[in-house]
Amino acid sequence: MVDKTEMLDELEKGPWPSFVSQIKEQAEKNPISRDLLRQLEQSYKDKKLYWRHGGVVGVWGYGSGMIGRYSARPDLFPGVAEFHTVRLNNPSGWFYNTKSLRQMCDIWEKYGSGLLYMHGMTGDILLLGTTTENLQPCFDELSSEASFDLGGSGPGIRTISCCVGPARCEWACYDTLDVTYDLTMTFQSEMHRPSLPHKFKIKCSGCPNDCVGAILRSDLPIIGTWRDTIQIDQEAVSEYINGGFDIVSYVINRCPTQCMRLTEKELGINDRECSRCMHCINVLPKALRPGKERGATILIGGKTQLVEGTIISSVLIPFIKLTPPYQEIKDLVNKIWDFWGEYARGRERVGEFIQRIGLGDFLEGMGIEPNPYMVAHPRENPHIKFEEYYREGD
Amino acid sequence: MVDKTEMLDELEKGPWPSFVSQIKEQAEKNPISRDLLRQLEQSYKDKKLYWRHGGVVGVWGYGSGMIGRYSARPDLFPGVAEFHTVRLNNPSGWFYNTKSLRQMCDIWEKYGSGLLYMHGMTGDILLLGTTTENLQPCFDELSSEASFDLGGSGPGIRTISCCVGPARCEWACYDTLDVTYDLTMTFQSEMHRPSLPHKFKIKCSGCPNDCVGAILRSDLPIIGTWRDTIQIDQEAVSEYINGGFDIVSYVINRCPTQCMRLTEKELGINDRECSRCMHCINVLPKALRPGKERGATILIGGKTQLVEGTIISSVLIPFIKLTPPYQEIKDLVNKIWDFWGEYARGRERVGEFIQRIGLGDFLEGMGIEPNPYMVAHPRENPHIKFEEYYREGD
Amino acid sequence: MEASPKARKLDIGPPDYRQFLHPVVKENYGQWKYHENLRPGVLVHVSETGAEIYTVRAGSPRLVNIDFVRRICDLADRYADGFLRFTSRNNIEFMLPNKENIDPLIAELEGMGIPVGGTGKIIHNMLHSQGWIHCHTPASADASGITKSVMDELYEYFTAKELPHRVKIAFACCTACCGGIFWSDIAILALHRRPPRVNHDYVWRVCEIPTTLASCPVTAIKPTYVDGKTSVTIDEDKCVYCGNCYSICSACEIIDPVNDVLSIWAGGKLANARSEPMLAKLVVPSLPSNPPRWPEVVSAVKNIVEVYAQNARKYERLGEWINRIGWPRFFELTGFEFTKYHIDDFKHAGQTYKKSVQLKF
Amino acid sequence: MEASPKARKLDIGPPDYRQFLHPVVKENYGQWKYHENLRPGVLVHVSETGAEIYTVRAGSPRLVNIDFVRRICDLADRYADGFLRFTSRNNIEFMLPNKENIDPLIAELEGMGIPVGGTGKIIHNMLHSQGWIHCHTPASADASGITKSVMDELYEYFTAKELPHRVKIAFACCTACCGGIFWSDIAILALHRRPPRVNHDYVWRVCEIPTTLASCPVTAIKPTYVDGKTSVTIDEDKCVYCGNCYSICSACEIIDPVNDVLSIWAGGKLANARSEPMLAKLVVPSLPSNPPRWPEVVSAVKNIVEVYAQNARKYERLGEWINRIGWPRFFELTGFEFTKYHIDDFKHAGQTYKKSVQLKF
Ligand code: SRM
Ligand code: SRM
Ligand code: SRM
Ligand code: SRM
Ligand code: SF4
Ligand code: SF4
Ligand code: SF4
Ligand code: SF4
Ligand code: SF4
Ligand code: SF4
Ligand code: SF4
Ligand code: SF4
């Protein structure tokens, strides 16, 4: 039915589930998948991709959410002459019920390759491969029948993602799912009709473990933390010790701030020195928990490599409480967009923008007071740009 | 005799020895010192220096070693109309006998202000203030009678300085005094007739404590270290412990590599993990000593602020044994001068040069193999400048 | 795109997550007290209320088909009351209120060839970018294929074998790093090794010159005129083959199977646990790209995992371990060669040199 | 300079140090076994041979006169067999083979107003640059005067009072930092705060234009023509007042007593002990320059010393202590204000931002 796929067949071997088998299964019945398989085999043979560069596609009313793709050899692989992807904004925390997923599958069976990523690297459901013609009806059905909407692409806010948070994690310091959903709904227009200098990502992690990698994978990470003291259940501590767990080696000695002490089976934490790294809590989940005065640290500027190099986000707001409707966050985002929108160069991520103009000037532009929490350390050079001086006659 | 010096008089108060008293004492008998005092008082009143900018002075056969200085108000302060300094290369380790110092004083009494720095920041004896006319005879006498020679200035090698080393310190891992003297004698010509792109400093510290601050204060620091194991005198360890010294808190817990253990009063060091930081040796000088296979780490590039920012030197040769005639060091210095001399921009310190062209290319230019000891860590970005690729038809 | 607007509602947003929460999850929302990792792939979370929920985590190739999704939906219906979720590393999670369902679910999953694992101190599912499946800019290597090859080799570390701590692996097909390189314990990054060939016939038609110039991290691109038309030239001595100009301007052709290579990186982390987040560092600058199973790459990754497994301390992430032993020791233990290419020469290169004599011989 | 060459020998080099070593030093050269700090200012070094040498360290104002030198030579003759040395921080060291000489020597020194101290975990002698004594580029502050004022205030920390560890203080009168700023535990640096005024009548006569342009760390200087003569202009929005152009080209006049300020820095170190060498960081961006005793500066320095004395652990250098408690806590404890100016905006600024959520509230 399909040509020989000697190279790809090799990738059906071995214990890990095979994407090739996934494609093959569809290739039996779906011409798009069939030619994807054939073209991919060709790529494997020639060590080279067979896609043409770029191509803008979309649906009515939206300026984002779909990535156009065309085969470089439509003559050989007509099934993938057009092979666009549709990005569906995932629900908070990637939670689904089977009804919803089945609806989505049925629609994608009708209009697309039957292949998808669960999920794309930004968090979307990525429906892999359909024709230009099918985009609009496919989207219409996804939206009206299955209640899905598009995710982001282009120079706008992208699909927000978050960790499982309070839904199943005992360490969530704020409601990551709700913040994600609320902000997503608030910023729909900017997501679907992008008009920022470059992409803008928000990711929400419930605690410093940062299970969605917000600090490096997003422009505006919201990372849960607490301001008071770690909650200790001394009985549970004793149980760990009695169970033979070496608390000193694995917890106390690994505490980066060395702020823990074990005295006669009482575990003490000097919380003023604790840097909220989570390690002790991670290792002793039954005995320790984040404090009660919970909220988040908001950071800014994370991104990967291009053009100015990978940037790990840095602290913008050391601590903020997060309660609906999360107005401070929304105001903050709008302020950033205004300022960055006005002064950024084209295709300059907010992190690059800050590195160019300097965090000090960025704060000033945003009307945020400088704070030593924002820096690892103060400057190490004397080139202070004092802003005023007296002239003769002043 | 001198005018009122109300401001400076304030600086004769207080317990720390006063430089003002030093000047005043000379001002009683020396017109240069007298006018220095008067001009300085004026500076204190007006919060402003009264020296003119620049001025090149020197003695026959030398292109360095003296800094010209002229008063901006010779009309008011004729005694310092010319106020040049003479830099005398200090003997290794700033060791003197009184005969030599007295000779030097007598000559400076005759020809100069009678004021001096013991010592200048690079290590020279700095004779402060004489006239252009006196420079040559003053130097002639210093050289022929007192056996002193000039130190460095301008774009050449500067006066080398070193810690007290084996002369009085038990930790010296090589003969800092001899290396300093030997290199000083070897590079006399480049010191006195400078022709490098910028200044070039060498400093020699006998161990990682770096008592002359070589790592930041010199372009080519030579810092003593050892390659084998720390010498432990277990009896002396016991004495410390029996004397009530808290070895665990002050030594073991502060070891940056956490490679020490105390077992039943035996102190153990996992020398393979030891980073030779000196801390344990510093704190337990009677019990611990550097190993027996001694030598030095050679670093490169240290300097202060201008233009590219302060640079802490970085490792060039992780370990080298140092025995007279120190030929490898001399060859290395010459190789650096050749390569840096050829490719540096004007007034570019060797550290700035390396930062501009990249350490990798510098090593290649020098014919030194790259080595992971040279970096804190490998690159964090993918912009690798691969040097070869295949072209069509290769 | 010409259809009438009336029929359509824009911006409805994603489905409300609340409808997708299992009743036990909903009732205990925000009230979880602690969890335990019962075995690789199985977690229990216990609530303040005493309620428990059992999570079974199953590995996924990420690129799946609708029948696969339907099959796991069947399982969710049967064992998890019709609810399921996916993780931030593309695994599938079934949350079972009923402990008895764990084993039968696992048996069914394994029967379908879907591994259970990926929790705790083991190798988690790989992250990766598009590769030859969809993108227009990958260097010569396929994301899904390399991921499959690596995960096959490290399979037992996903399902069973404990490591000192979690190890996260990723692949990206170009320096855009969609797949995540710099935040991973171990990463594979496809690289070009040859400057783009500018097709002067196209530049003026398809490229915006200022954007193209600005796309270059090393300002190697200059505007020019060729045959009276605007174009660009690339300074080959400066170009570092990042391919960004190509993604902006397709006339800067960079695709080149002959020269492209695969690089290996190590020591990144995201979590703030113990140490601050760290970027991965270059470990092997160039390995050949050999589809379909990239043996050189797979063995380099495995080498790192094994040396780490043998040498690191419990709860020590890969990067933390390397920081403790130092990079010279890492190169010694792994046997990888240290070259000029390992020495940074980008913007902040000077900050990466070894600025002390604290050395371990 | 026209004298005949014959008479002179060039390049004789400094005197051979060997003639300056006391016989006990010479005999035990390289054989020292250990030392003890008997009291501030007095060390004993014991040799493998059993020999001992007692070092008495005396503070010096560095700027001394020939009579002072002669007087200390007298002491060296009487107590140390005619030998003496100076330290890398400008102190005077007498090395006595005879223990009995320690007390009388100290008595004589103290009688002369020369303090004995500066060894061990105390405040060492300050390093400083030229200031108004000799240099042409200082911002508005005198090196010797500030040094005297600070050392007066901290006198007891030099002679007696133990601190957690050694504290090294320095002063520099311009950003060339001859006196050492970035390598000191505490440093005072005089800064300009106003761009140079270019004297176009002079530039063409006294300045080499390319060198002047290259001297600017922020490329604020551009070449220009004024009245048909070459000159330069300075972009006031870029200039960071470093004064380097002035030291290259005196027509870029920067001397300005009205605007100049003094800045305070903390946390540098040179030794490789425990932590790697570190650069000092900005603590107070601008204090007024008030001769003759600079009370604002002195009190800022003292504040740091005292807060450090109260809070740091034994053997913890100032910078190590700050790293442990974190900069937010340092600002809290010292009461210094954190401003926009503390946030780096030079080349590697982005590397100095806080890139984690490890925060101490
Ligand atoms: C589909 C996806 C990869 C995947 O296999 O899942 C993807 C695919 C592309 N990314 Fe990405 N990125 C995807 C997640 C990411 C991530 C990960 C994340 O969001 O956590 C990153 C790193 C984080 C970041 O934003 O920096 C990422 C960093 C980039 C960059 C580098 C941006 C930078 O500032 O450094 C580019 C290039 C650009 O935008 O100029 C880029 C550009 C692209 C483009 C649009 C190619 C281009 O040159 O225009 C790719 C489209 C491929 C295609 O044919 O579909 N993609 N991209 C991911 C989006 C799916 C989704 O919506 O869920
Ligand atoms: C005299 C002395 C200061 C003192 O009070 O002791 C001094 C004085 C001058 N230094 Fe310095 N430097 C002196 C040690 C230093 C040191 C300390 C050291 O060597 O350990 C440094 C920092 C280390 C370094 O080399 O980076 C130092 C870094 C500078 C710089 C900055 C160089 C850089 O690359 O960042 C300059 C400016 C320049 O060279 O362009 C400079 C320039 C100058 C000039 C020549 C001024 C100028 O703009 O041309 C000063 C002459 C003043 C005068 O009137 O005598 N001086 N200078 C020191 C030399 C005395 C001696 O020979 O013993
Ligand atoms: C399900 C998931 C969140 C989600 O919303 O999808 C999740 C869930 C949990 N994480 Fe995570 N983490 C998840 C991705 C991450 C990531 C992101 C990533 O891998 O890309 C990180 C940051 C990784 C990094 O640093 O590179 C992450 C860093 C942690 C850590 C900190 C690890 C450390 O460095 O010490 C912990 C604590 C621990 O391991 O003890 C943790 C612990 C946990 C706990 C135990 C939290 C809890 O109490 O429920 C959860 C079960 C963990 C497990 O797998 O054993 N989780 N966790 C993600 C599972 C991904 C997967 O399928 O493998
Ligand atoms: C005499 C002198 C060397 C010289 O050739 O002149 C010297 C001599 C000794 N130093 Fe030093 N150091 C001398 C300047 C330095 C410097 C440079 C400086 O201060 O500018 C440093 C690096 C400073 C820095 O990190 O900022 C220095 C860092 C050390 C250390 C490491 C301190 C630490 O950070 O832990 C030790 C070990 C210790 O203190 O236990 C040390 C220890 C010693 C010992 C104990 C070594 C020995 O066994 O003899 C000597 C007596 C020290 C004392 O003062 O208590 N010496 N020492 C210098 C005295 C300067 C002065 O008059 O105050
Ligand atoms: S980031 Fe924290 S709260 Fe969120 S899932 Fe991970 S451990 Fe739980
Ligand atoms: S959270 Fe981290 S810093 Fe705080 S006590 Fe626990 S291990 Fe220490
Ligand atoms: S650097 Fe080392 S060898 Fe030299 S004096 Fe200091 S402690 Fe002694
Ligand atoms: S020298 Fe430093 S690293 Fe080595 S054992 Fe002693 S304290 Fe530890
Ligand atoms: S990493 Fe590069 S090639 Fe791969 S999907 Fe992202 S943009 Fe495309
Ligand atoms: S490939 Fe990258 S470095 Fe080379 S010219 Fe293009 S943008 Fe510049
Ligand atoms: S710091 Fe500046 S002003 Fe002071 S002596 Fe050095 S060059 Fe001159
Ligand atoms: S003072 Fe410094 S920053 Fe300002 S123009 Fe001159 S060299 Fe440039």
Side-chain angles (χ1 to χ4, degrees), chain B residues 7 10-11 13-19 22 25-26 29 40 43-44 46-49 51-54 58-60 62 67 69 83-85 89-98 100-102 105-106 109 114-121 126 136 140 143 147-149 164 166-171 175 177-178 181 184-185 188 192-193 208-209 211 213 215-217 245 250 254 256 277 279 282-283 285-286 289 304-308 310 312 347, chain D residues 1 5 8 10-18 20-21 25 29-30 32-36 45 48 55 59-71 73-74 76-77 82-86 88 90 93 95 115 125 127-128 130 132-136 138 140 142 144-145 148-149 151-152 155 158 175-179 182-183 211 215-217 244 246-248 250 255 257 270-274 277 279 289 291-294 313-315 346-347:
Chain B
M7 295 289 254
E10 288 299 314
L11 288 167
K13 299 174 184 167
W16 189 254
S18 170
F19 72 102
Q22 295 289 324
E25 190 179 10
Q26 287 304 297
K29 46 191 175 184
L40 193 61
S43 285
Y44 268 70
D46 302 345
K47 296 217 274 184
K48 150 174 183 197
L49 75 159
W51 300 116
R52 269 166 50 203
H53 186 287
V59 289
W60 188 88
Y62 285 71
I67 307 289
R69 190 64 69 225
F83 189 74
H84 314 316
T85 60
N89 198 326
N90 58 300
S92 286
W94 301 287
F95 277 94
Y96 298 94
N97 61 22
T98 52
S100 172
L101 280 183
R102 286 183 203 278
C105 288
D106 294 346
E109 180 157 46
L115 299 172
L116 67 166
Y117 286 156
M118 292 298 280
H119 293 83
M121 282 293 300
L126 227 81
Q136 187 72 49
D140 288 346
S143 163
S147 297
F148 278 99
D149 199 349
V164 64
R168 201 200 51 203
C169 181
E170 66 268 36
W171 298 327
D175 192 339
L177 288 84
D178 194 49
Y181 187 58
T184 301
M185 296 310 287
Q188 281 293 303
H192 293 145
R193 285 160 297 278
N209 280 332
C211 292
I215 200 160
L216 188 40
R217 296 175 66 172
F245 188 81
Y250 295 136
R254 303 294 179 87
C277 84
H279 175 70
N282 290 342
V283 175
K286 288 186 181 172
R289 306 176 70 183
T304 50
Q305 192 49 38
L306 297 168
V307 180
E308 296 294 322
T310 301
I312 302 179
R347 297 180 59 78
Chain D
M1 290 172 91
R8 294 182 193 103
L10 301 182
D11 299 345
I12 62 167
D16 188 334
Y17 64 98
R18 278 168 283 225
F20 296 151
L21 303 178
V25 166
Y29 196 89
W32 299 105
K33 200 170 159 199
Y34 68 87
H35 76 280
E36 277 181 281
H45 283 78
E48 299 277 8
T55 301
S60 154
R62 184 169 88 122
L63 195 175
V64 295
N65 67 38
I66 46 178
D67 295 320
F68 177 94
V69 175
R70 286 166 179 151
R71 284 192 295 269
C73 282
D74 290 345
D77 284 338
F83 297 97
L84 74 169
R85 78 176 287 267
F86 294 78
S88 64
N90 306 316
E93 286 187 342
M95 292 195 249
N125 198 356
L127 292 181
H128 63 85
Q130 293 264 29
W132 292 332
I133 294 293
H134 199 269
C135 196
H136 55 203
S140 177
D142 184 43
S144 311
K148 161 80 172 138
S149 304
M151 289 308 286
D152 275 343
Y155 187 77
F158 180 85
T175 54
C177 296
C178 302
F182 295 105
W183 71 70
T211 319
S215 74
C216 182
N244 201 34
Y246 175 70
S247 83
I248 299 298
S250 59
I255 305 303
L270 290 162
N272 289 273
R274 297 168 309 284
L279 300 182
S289 179
R293 296 207 65 110
W294 290 274
R313 295 182 186 151
K314 197 168 166 178
Y315 298 116
F346 195 47
K347 307 205 170 199

Side-chain angles (χ1 to χ4, degrees), chain A residues 274-347:
Chain A
C274 165
S275 65
R276 289 144 184 88
C277 85
M278 288 296 294
H279 175 70
C280 58
I281 301 176
N282 290 344
V283 175
L284 304 174
K286 289 186 182 172
L288 303 181
R289 307 176 70 183
K292 290 180 174 168
E293 195 188 340
R294 298 179 177 192
T297 300
I298 300 185
L299 302 95
I300 184 109
K303 61 173 291 291
T304 50
Q305 193 50 38
L306 297 167
V307 179
E308 296 294 322
T310 300
I311 301 177
I312 301 179
S313 299
S314 63
V315 173
L316 184 61
I317 300 186
F319 187 85
I320 187 170
K321 294 209 173 183
L322 290 176
T323 38
Y326 315 111
Q327 199 52 48
E328 309 90 318
I329 306 272
K330 292 171 192 170
D331 292 346
L332 178 70
V333 169
N334 280 315
K335 241 192 320 187
I336 294 170
W337 289 352
D338 284 350
F339 187 65
W340 169 54
E342 182 155 352
Y343 297 103
R345 295 180 179 154
R347 297 181 59 77

Side-chain angles (χ1 to χ4, degrees), chain A residues 342-363:
Chain A
E342 182 155 352
Y343 297 103
R345 295 180 179 154
R347 297 181 59 77
E348 187 176 45
R349 292 285 284 266
V350 69
E352 294 173 307
F353 172 67
I354 292 173
Q355 303 233 333
R356 177 167 60 81
I357 72 162
L359 179 60
D361 282 346
F362 177 77
L363 293 174

Side-chain angles (χ1 to χ4, degrees), chain C residues 332-353:
Chain C
E332 194 185 310
L333 288 169
T334 54
F336 295 129
E337 190 195 356
F338 184 85
T339 69
K340 178 181 163 183
Y341 298 141
H342 289 87
I343 304 176
D344 193 4
D345 53 5
F346 195 47
K347 307 205 168 198
H348 306 298
Q351 312 290 96
T352 71
Y353 304 161

Side-chain angles (χ1 to χ4, degrees), chain B residues 2 12 34 72 117 128 191 240 252 287 303 314 347 367 373:
Chain B
V2 266
E12 289 197 281
R34 194 175 312 142
Y117 286 156
L128 280 171
M191 180 178 297
Y240 276 108
I252 303 207
K303 62 173 291 290
S314 63
R347 297 180 59 78
Y373 284 108

Side-chain angles (χ1 to χ4, degrees), chain C residues 8 15 28 59 74 143 185 216 225 237 242 256 273 322 326 347:
Chain C
R8 293 182 194 101
N28 296 283
D74 291 345
D185 296 277
C216 182
Y225 282 90
D237 286 341
C242 75
D256 177 12
I322 298 174
K347 307 205 168 198

